[in-house]
């Protein structure tokens, strides 16, 4: 009567259609999830948490608990309103007459609500079995009452119904009319005519009427809330829920038509209990109203208690809900029932039914939207184990349900909707950071896998362009205990690219009972989490380190995401230091070092690979067109201290883009030099390194017009948008040592200059560079002050003759000796662009 009295028949039918469209889409999602596996206590909370994970499940569980609590209070207040309307002393009278004996005031109505709520509490404390019997009895009563009402519309003759309305000066009397079936009455009631709600004094609108009406449709979750008490929830929930939705939709529409055709607007708007006046047996209507509202109040109370119990049992909120875990001997969560009753009692202080209707409706709509979201996520994830026996749904129905819920939330009450979403977001963030990890499975992982696979297939290597090049690193790590700072440094170098930590285990799978790498995987992943680096882990078994690195270079990555740069620690005789034990991530009071990595190699223990094999790995990577970085003494780099020290002078990055081991070919614009510049610039772009300044060293000789070379290099930096300070470094004395060594030797400089640096031709300059020259070059680099945070040097190609590998490595060791954190760089691919 309230709905059609204010909205009219047309708008009432629209409201029913919209409400049941939303409910229908949600019911399909509920049925799909309910038939996809075994259900436990918690209903919608259990479905959402097991589908979307603990963050969404816990936050929506709290929202659904509050929705049921407020819904229970709403129905109790509605029952109080009906009781007072039947037995209350009319306004303006000091004493009642006949059955009108109940005083009316805020505190008296609160007392009546408390008594009725206590009755609901007693039923719920006994357990689900008595609740089920009580609700079945109530269903029979309501069915009989509904039958008498339908008969009354045909059997009752036209009559006038006196209506007493509250007035500041006493009472005001008006007359409503039951006309019987009348075409004129129907026409007058077709359109909307919103007026003032006589119980609250508020002006009604489409949204406020819809909010009150929608609460009569929220019982679809009553069956799913009892999922832990049902024998066959996967069988009962779909059939019971769909039957209830279809039945109530037909009844609501039928009653709306009959009321509009037989009752005038005054009767519908100003007497919400008019069905008693027109009934052939009025007391039965009163009993039906009481039974229906009492059943709804109990349903919401027991539903809230089951949700609270499920939340407590899952330990998402820790000790805050520990009390709600306690159950009786027969498994009834009595403490959850008592806590729910207490919260409902608090909500009863709001006083008026329509005051909390919009809040309840918003909460329920938010829960329904999330149920649809859970089903949509499961459907879109395309997981093979999502095989619900209920198949009458698609992702379109889920999406329509979500859209309908969100639109109606904001139409009903933008303030309540915004506040509810804000509260939900706060709960999500709190649970994300505070709740323990679960073993339920995360739908986010399935969705991410689905999308990543799709986009990896779309990432076509044939469409790569130098403008969008980014470093994709494969860092080889023998033992993370000695490489913690190197791992962190390379993480700064990756520039949102792929980063893979590679490790080679020297074992033969044929001689082992099982894969030894599987137990190690967890330790490596924990290491990545602790160090807070965005890296993948790739482990392999091989007879030698060189073979293992080849395997990883060939197989790491997928599609367009493959490593293009190999990073190795430097091969020297320094004893490894356990940087992991001193790392901030492992030195807090609560954290020990639980990772299962072996102790570091003792200085007297032989290495796992020889110098020849180490240089062979570098040569292999260059043959496979991978860029190579050799990092020396990076474990001595205290990045936090270096970058947070006083700004005067600011930390610097020294860049030497010339091949110091080949002074006869001092070019600054070859592929390798440009790649070295790019890597130094990438490091400078990392957030932690933005305060650092690039210093570029230009080695010049007398008579070579140094200022022209400087201007040319400055223009190159401008074209590449690299900000760096250029410093001229005379090195005539250094190159003189080289020429003195080369004079008269076979295969001298004339032969060298004819040889072009390429992929196949290797420089044979190694034997022509003396240790004296290399040490002089080392001193030249070391003499540039102030000392930088890190240096980037040009890495020459290994010689073609493998017998010269030890000499090549010896020269690199001399060149970088005592320089502190140094990165030797050799690039084989074009990585810079001056185009838009």
């Amino acid at each position: 009567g309230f709905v059609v009295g204010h909205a009219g028949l047309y708008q009432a039918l629209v409201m029913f259609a919209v409400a049941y469209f939303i409910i229908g889409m949600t019911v399909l999602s509920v049925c799909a999830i309910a038939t996809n596996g075994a259900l436990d206590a918690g209903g919608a909370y259990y479905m959402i948490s097991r589908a979307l994970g603990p963050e969404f499940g816990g936050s929506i569980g709290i929202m659904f608990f509050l929705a049921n609590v407020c819904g229970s209070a709403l129905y109790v207040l509605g029952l109080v309103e009906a009781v007072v309307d039947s037995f209350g002393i009319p306004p303006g009278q000091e004493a009642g007459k006949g059955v009108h004996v109940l005083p009316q005031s805020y505190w008296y109505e609160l007392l009546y609500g408390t008594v009725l709520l206590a009755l609901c509490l007693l039923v719920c404390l006994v357990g689900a079995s008595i609740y089920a019997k009580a609700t079945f009895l109530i269903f029979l009563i309501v069915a009989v009452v509904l039958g008498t009402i339908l008969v009354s519309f045909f059997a009752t003759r036209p009559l006038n119904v006196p209506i007493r309305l509250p007035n500041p000066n006493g009472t005001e009397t008006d007359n409503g009319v039951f006309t019987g079936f009348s075409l004129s009455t129907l026409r007058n009631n077709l359109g909307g005519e919103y007026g003032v709600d006589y119980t609250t004094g508020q002006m009604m609108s489409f949204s406020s009427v819809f909010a009150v009406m929608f609460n009569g449709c929220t019982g679809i979750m009553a069956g799913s809330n009892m999922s832990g008490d049902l024998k066959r929830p996967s069988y009962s929930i779909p059939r019971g829920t769909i039957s209830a939705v279809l039945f109530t939709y037909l009844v609501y529409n039928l009653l709306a038509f009959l009321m509009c055709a037989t009752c005038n607007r005054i009767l519908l708007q100003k007497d919400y209990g008019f069905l008693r006046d027109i009934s052939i047996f009025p007391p039965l209507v009163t009993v039906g109203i009481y039974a229906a509202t009492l059943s709804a109040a109990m349903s919401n109370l027991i539903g809230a208690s089951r949700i609270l119990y499920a939340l407590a049992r899952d330990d998402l909120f820790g000790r805050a809900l520990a009390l709600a875990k306690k159950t009786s001997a027969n498994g009834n969560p009595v403490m959850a029932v008592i806590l729910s009753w207490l919260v409902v009692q608090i909500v009863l202080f709001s006083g008026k039914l329509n005051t909390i209707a919009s809040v309840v409706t918003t909460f329920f709509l938010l829960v329904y939207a999330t149920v649809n979201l859970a089903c949509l996520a499961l459907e879109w994830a395309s997981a093979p184990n999502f095989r619900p026996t209920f198949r009458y749904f698609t992702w379109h129905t889920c999406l329509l349900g979500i859209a309908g819920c969100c639109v109606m939330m904001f139409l009903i009450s933008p303030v309540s909707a915004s506040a509810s979403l804000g509260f939900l977001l706060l709960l999500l963030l709190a649970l994300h950071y505070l709740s323990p990890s679960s073993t339920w499975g995360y739908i986010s992982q399935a969705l991410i896998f689905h999308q990543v696979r799709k986009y990896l297939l779309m990432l076509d290597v044939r469409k790569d362009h130098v403008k969008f090049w980014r470093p994709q690193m494969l860092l080889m790590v023998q033992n993370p205990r000695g490489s913690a700072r190197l791992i962190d440094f390379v993480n700064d170098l990756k520039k949102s690219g792929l980063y893979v930590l590679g490790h080679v285990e020297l074992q033969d799978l044929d001689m082992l009972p099982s894969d030894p790498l599987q137990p190690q995987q967890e330790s490596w992943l924990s290491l990545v989490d602790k160090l807070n680096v965005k890296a993948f882990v790739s482990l392999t078994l091989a007879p030698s380190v060189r073979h293992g690195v080849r395997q990883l270079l060939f197989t790491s990555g997928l599609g367009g995401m493959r490593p293009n740069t190999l990073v190795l620690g430097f091969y020297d005789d320094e004893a490894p230091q356990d940087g992991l034990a001193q790392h901030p991530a492992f030195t807090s009071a609560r954290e020990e070092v639980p990772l299962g990595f072996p102790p570091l190699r003792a200085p007297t223990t032989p290495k796992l690979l020889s110098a020849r094999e180490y240089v062979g790995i570098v040569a292999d990577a260059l043959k496979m067109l991978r860029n190579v970085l050799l990092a020396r003494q990076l474990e001595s780099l205290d990045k936090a201290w270096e970058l947070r020290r006083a700004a005067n002078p600011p930390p610097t990055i020294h860049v030497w883009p010339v091949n110091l081991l080949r002074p006869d070919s001092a070019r600054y614009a070859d592929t390798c030099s440009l790649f070295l510049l790019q890597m130094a610039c990438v490091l400078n772009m990392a957030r932690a390194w933005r305060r650092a300044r690039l210093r570029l060293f230009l080695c010049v000789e007398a008579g070579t017009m140094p200022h022209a070379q400087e201007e040319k290099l400055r223009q190159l930096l401008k074209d590449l948008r690299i900000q760096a300070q250029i410093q001229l470094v005379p090195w005539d004395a250094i190159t003189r040592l080289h020429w003195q060594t080369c004079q008269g030797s076979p295969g001298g400089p004339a032969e060298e200059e004819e040889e072009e640096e390429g992929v196949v031709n290797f420089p044979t300059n190694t034997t022509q560079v003396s240790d004296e020259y290399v040490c002089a070059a080392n001193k030249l680099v070391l003499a540039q002050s102030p000392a930088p945070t890190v240096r980037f040097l040009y890495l020459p190609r290994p010689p073609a003759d493998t017998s010269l590998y030890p000499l090549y490595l010896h020269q690199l060791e001399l060149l970088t000796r005592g320089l502190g954190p140094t990165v030797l760089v050799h690039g084989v691919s074009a990585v810079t662009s001056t185009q838009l």
Side-chain angles (χ1 to χ4, degrees):
F2 168 80
V3 175
V4 295
H6 288 282
L9 180 61
Y10 289 154
Q11 292 188 37
L13 295 178
V14 170
M15 288 183 186
F16 293 140
V18 170
Y20 275 87
F21 173 78
I22 295 171
I23 289 168
M25 298 300 102
T26 306
V27 164
L28 297 181
S29 299
V30 168
C31 295
I33 299 174
T35 58
N36 189 52
L39 277 179
D40 206 341
Y45 158 72
Y46 187 86
M47 297 178 191
I48 294 169
S49 62
R50 269 50 178 183
L52 299 183
E55 293 95 343
F56 252 107
S59 53
I60 285 297
I62 291 294
M63 300 292 286
F64 198 27
F65 168 74
L66 293 176
N68 279 275
V69 161
C70 293
S72 182
L74 184 76
Y75 290 119
V76 169
L77 289 173
L79 182 53
V80 169
E81 189 177 288
V83 169
V84 170
D85 193 45
S86 300
F87 303 105
I89 299 174
Q93 296 183 16
E94 295 183 0
K97 298 178 182 179
V99 295
H100 299 280
V101 294
L102 296 179
Q104 293 191 50
S105 71
Y106 169 79
W107 294 106
Y108 274 112
E109 291 178 7
L110 179 61
L111 176 62
Y112 306 150
T114 302
V115 172
L116 293 171
L117 183 60
L119 178 62
C120 297
L121 173 64
L122 289 175
V123 174
C124 295
L125 283 176
V126 174
S129 58
I130 190 67
Y131 165 76
K133 293 174 183 177
T135 50
F136 181 71
L137 178 61
I138 290 172
F139 168 74
L140 294 179
I141 294 173
V142 171
V144 172
V145 172
L146 183 61
T148 60
I149 288 174
L150 293 176
V151 171
S152 298
F153 280 111
F154 296 92
T156 303
R157 295 181 179 180
L159 55 87
N160 291 330
V161 180
I163 303 171
R164 291 179 179 176
L165 300 174
N167 189 287
N169 300 322
T171 58
E172 178 184 336
T173 303
D174 204 345
N175 284 318
V177 180
F178 176 78
T179 63
F181 286 97
S182 167
L183 188 59
S184 174
T185 303
L186 179 62
R187 286 174 179 168
N188 291 335
N189 288 330
L190 290 178
E193 190 176 313
Y194 294 98
V196 176
D197 174 25
Y198 70 86
T199 64
T200 61
Q202 296 177 354
M203 187 67 186
M204 292 292 100
S205 63
F206 181 91
S207 59
S208 59
V209 172
F210 181 84
V212 176
M213 182 276 301
F214 191 80
N215 285 289
C217 311
T218 55
I220 63 166
M221 290 295 184
S224 62
N225 287 344
M226 299 294 294
S227 55
D229 301 297
L230 298 174
K231 291 182 179 179
R232 298 171 60 193
S234 296
Y235 175 85
S236 304
I237 288 175
R239 286 162 177 79
T241 306
I242 292 174
S243 302
V245 167
L246 292 176
F247 179 74
T248 54
Y249 180 66
L250 293 174
V251 169
Y252 280 157
N253 281 275
L254 179 59
L255 287 175
F257 174 77
L258 294 175
M259 290 175 184
C260 286
T262 58
C263 304
N264 75 344
R265 183 84 63 173
I266 294 174
L267 182 61
L268 293 173
Q269 279 193 356
K270 298 185 179 181
D271 184 4
Y272 300 153
F274 71 92
L275 287 176
R276 285 191 305 270
D277 301 314
I278 67 171
S279 174
I280 56 175
F281 188 58
L284 195 58
V285 175
T286 303
V287 172
I289 293 173
Y290 295 171
T293 49
L294 190 65
S295 170
M298 282 193 299
S299 171
N300 280 270
L301 179 60
I302 200 167
S305 67
R306 278 7 184 215
I307 296 166
L308 187 63
Y309 171 66
L311 283 166
R313 198 175 59 176
D314 287 337
D315 276 329
L316 295 183
F317 295 89
R319 296 181 180 178
L321 297 179
L323 190 62
K325 294 181 183 179
K326 297 184 178 180
T327 61
S328 63
N330 61 354
N332 186 31
V334 289
M335 291 308 301
V337 172
I338 293 172
L339 290 173
S340 301
W341 163 79
L342 185 61
V343 180
V344 175
Q345 182 64 57
I346 294 172
V347 177
L348 285 180
F349 281 93
S350 65
K352 288 296 182 180
L353 184 148
N354 291 354
T355 305
I356 58 174
S358 61
V359 177
V360 177
T361 302
T362 301
F363 280 4
F364 273 112
L365 283 170
L366 192 57
V367 172
Y368 294 166
T370 313
V371 170
N372 284 301
L373 177 64
C375 189
L376 178 67
L378 290 168
E379 178 70 9
W380 275 356
S382 301
N385 285 321
F386 182 59
R387 297 189 296 271
T389 55
F390 181 87
R391 296 300 305 165
Y392 302 103
F393 77 100
T394 66
W395 66 267
H396 304 85
T397 61
C398 302
L399 208 56
L400 287 172
I402 295 171
C405 290
C406 293
V407 169
M408 292 314 302
M409 274 172 54
F410 283 94
L411 282 179
I412 290 170
S413 176
V415 175
S416 297
S418 302
S420 300
L421 289 173
F423 182 54
L424 175 65
L425 183 61
L426 286 175
L427 287 172
L428 275 170
L429 292 174
L431 285 171
H432 179 72
Y433 290 106
L434 300 178
S435 69
S437 59
S438 72
T439 57
W440 306 336
Y442 293 81
I443 190 64
S444 58
Q445 295 299 302
L447 289 172
I448 290 169
F449 178 89
H450 185 269
Q451 292 302 106
V452 167
R453 182 193 64 85
K454 181 173 74 174
Y455 286 116
L456 272 175
L457 291 171
M458 295 171 62
L459 191 60
D460 192 344
V461 294
R462 296 168 295 183
K463 297 179 182 178
D464 283 348
H465 194 278
V466 67
K467 290 189 298 184
F468 308 113
W469 178 91
R470 64 181 73 239
Q472 305 198 79
M473 303 292 197
L474 171 61
L475 170 62
M476 297 306 304
V477 180
Q478 179 186 354
N479 190 333
R481 292 188 182 278
S483 308
R485 288 180 174 173
L486 176 58
I487 293 171
D488 183 58
F489 178 79
V490 177
N491 187 61
D492 291 334
L493 270 179
K494 71 180 188 307
K495 187 56 180 174
S496 302
L498 177 68
Y499 184 17
V500 180
L501 298 180
H503 173 71
V504 179
E505 194 76 17
L506 299 182
Q507 296 191 57
D508 187 357
L509 192 59
D510 289 339
M511 308 300 294
L512 299 171
S514 62
D515 182 7
L517 299 178
Q518 291 300 323
Q520 297 184 30
Q521 191 79 16
E522 185 66 30
S523 294
W524 283 87
L525 294 176
S526 298
L527 174 77
V528 168
D529 293 338
K530 294 284 187 183
L531 296 180
N532 195 26
V533 295
K534 299 176 181 178
F536 297 96
V537 173
S538 187
L539 312 179
T540 189
L541 285 177
S544 70
V545 176
R546 186 174 182 181
H547 281 89
V549 176
R550 283 179 184 171
Q551 291 176 19
L552 293 176
L553 284 172
F554 277 125
T555 61
S556 293
L558 281 174
M561 291 191 69
R562 291 184 178 278
N564 56 27
T565 304
L566 175 67
V567 186
L568 301 172
F570 197 77
Y571 190 95
D572 54 26
D573 296 324
E574 293 185 13
Q577 302 295 323
D578 192 345
L580 206 59
Q582 285 78 40
H583 196 279
F586 298 93
T587 54
S588 64
R590 295 181 302 167
E591 296 285 352
E592 298 178 356
V593 184
L595 304 179
F597 299 118
L600 288 171
R601 175 183 60 85
T604 56
T605 305
K607 298 180 180 180
L608 295 178
L609 75 166
S610 64
R612 186 185 299 270
E613 188 179 7
Y614 176 83
V615 180
I617 292 173
V618 176
D620 291 344
L622 296 178
K623 287 179 183 178
M624 298 164 68
L625 298 181
R626 303 296 202 277
N627 311 298
V628 176
L629 273 61
L630 304 183
R632 185 171 192 185
Q633 293 187 353
L634 261 297
E635 285 306 302
S636 66
L637 173 62
D638 189 346
K639 185 177 73 172
W641 183 85
E642 288 282 352
L643 299 178
R644 292 175 186 169
R645 62 180 179 168
N648 291 319
T652 57
I653 301 171
H654 285 191
V655 183
W656 294 79
V658 65
N659 187 351
L660 294 174
L661 294 185
R662 192 173 180 183
D664 53 330
S665 178
R667 291 180 294 173
Y668 289 90
D670 65 356
T671 299
C672 185
S673 298
L674 292 176
F675 180 80
L676 189 150
L677 277 173
Q678 181 81 322
M679 294 311 299
C681 181
V682 165
L683 181 65
N684 194 207
M685 293 169 70
R687 180 178 299 176
W689 293 84
R690 285 177 185 169
R691 285 185 55 247
R693 298 290 179 264
L694 290 181
R695 291 184 67 191
L696 190 62
F697 293 92
L698 177 62
C699 297
V700 295
E701 299 180 52
T704 56
M705 295 186 295
H707 293 293
Q709 294 183 35
E710 180 183 5
E711 188 58 34
K712 184 177 179 182
L713 182 57
R714 196 178 303 280
Q715 184 61 42
L716 174 64
L717 294 177
K718 182 179 178 181
D719 292 340
L720 296 177
R721 290 88 61 204
I722 297 176
Q723 295 182 358
Q725 174 191 352
I726 299 176
Q727 183 170 333
L728 301 181
V729 180
W731 72 331
D732 297 79
I734 311 298
T735 55
R736 194 176 299 117
L737 290 173
H738 174 66
W739 298 124
Q740 289 173 357
T741 304
C742 292
Q743 284 179 357
S745 61
E751 182 179 334
E752 284 290 328
E753 290 181 5
E754 294 177 0
E755 185 180 321
E756 295 183 0
E757 182 176 78
V759 176
V760 179
N761 297 320
F762 290 85
T764 58
N765 194 58
T766 305
T767 57
Q768 299 172 8
V769 177
S770 66
D771 288 356
E772 183 183 8
Y773 164 78
V774 178
C775 290
N778 170 262
K779 292 178 181 177
L780 177 69
V781 174
L782 196 57
Q784 309 308 314
S785 60
T789 304
V790 65
R791 290 180 172 90
F792 283 84
L793 301 185
Y794 191 115
L795 174 67
R797 276 181 171 272
D801 187 352
T802 58
S803 64
L804 297 178
Y805 281 0
L807 177 60
Y808 168 80
L809 187 59
H810 171 68
Q811 291 175 353
L812 293 182
E813 194 279 330
L814 287 178
L815 180 63
T816 58
R817 181 179 294 176
L819 294 184
T822 304
V823 182
L824 291 162
V825 181
H826 191 98
V828 296
S829 55
V831 296
T832 56
S833 173
T834 59
Q835 302 175 356
L836 287 176

